[in-house]
Amino acid sequence: MFTASPLSGSKAEQYQQLIAQCQALLHGERHRVANAANLSALLFNHLPDVNWLGFYFLEQGELIVGPFQGLPACVRIALGKGVCGTAAQSRETQLVADVHAFPGHIACDSASQSEIVVPLIKDGALIGVLDVDSPVLNRFDDTDKAAFETIAALFCAGSD
């Protein structure tokens, strides 16, 4: 059973608890959309200062919105465009302290101030990105980056 109860300890300890919950949630289920939906809900309900969290999947050369939590989102994002498209094209996590300073930022939710986007790589191929937005400037740091990269790797390993 999963609840939205608060996590305890330091930020790193809280992420350890959350990663364990992600592993339990993914255990025995390989459906990509189902796993993305459940992870979006789990993470969104446990992380403070997050206003949008979800997945974009690569289809026919562009990112298409997948399961998410938050306000309605941009449906299609070209590779190389905005934070998501940049993460997808570069295959590198984008940690953006101030989205308004990011060249070409795509504003799907005007409340977003900072963002982290982790590319989803499965068997060497890009399958999409995990996108997390915050209404707080400089919300994400290296601890968040390491945790979201671990969660993205778990998702890729556990989903078809």
Side-chain angles (χ1 to χ4, degrees):
M1 177 62 71
F2 295 91
T3 66
S5 59
L7 302 171
S8 61
S10 69
K11 187 177 191 178
E13 291 168 336
Q14 290 177 24
Y15 272 122
Q16 288 176 347
Q17 294 166 46
L18 200 50
I19 287 166
Q21 289 186 37
C22 290
Q23 290 172 316
L25 193 60
L26 295 170
H27 182 75
E29 181 55 62
R30 302 220 32 103
H31 193 274
R32 182 179 294 176
V33 173
N35 285 341
N38 273 333
L39 282 181
S40 295
L42 177 72
L43 297 170
F44 187 82
N45 284 291
H46 276 84
L47 295 172
D49 299 321
V50 169
N51 63 310
W52 199 94
L53 189 147
F55 291 79
Y56 279 88
F57 293 118
L58 184 65
E59 291 184 21
Q60 299 177 354
E62 64 184 343
L63 296 171
I64 307 295
V65 71
F68 68 91
Q69 299 283 311
L71 293 177
C74 303
V75 174
R76 297 173 186 276
I77 299 176
L79 296 184
K81 301 294 182 188
V83 182
C84 288
T86 299
Q89 187 173 57
S90 69
R91 293 184 177 209
E92 294 179 0
T93 298
Q94 300 296 304
L95 183 63
V96 182
D98 180 356
V99 296
H100 304 293
F102 190 90
H105 173 253
I106 301 168
C108 293
D109 181 346
S110 62
S112 295
Q113 299 293 314
S114 60
E115 185 171 7
I116 185 169
V117 181
V118 180
L120 302 171
I121 310 293
K122 182 171 179 67
D123 299 328
L126 176 75
I127 62 169
V129 298
L130 170 59
D131 180 19
V132 187
D133 292 10
S134 173
V136 177
L137 286 170
N138 204 27
R139 158 65 176 86
F140 305 106
D141 60 19
D142 287 336
T143 301
D144 299 289
K145 180 179 183 280
F148 284 122
E149 287 175 344
T150 298
I151 292 166
L154 289 169
F155 172 79
C156 290
S159 301
D160 290 331

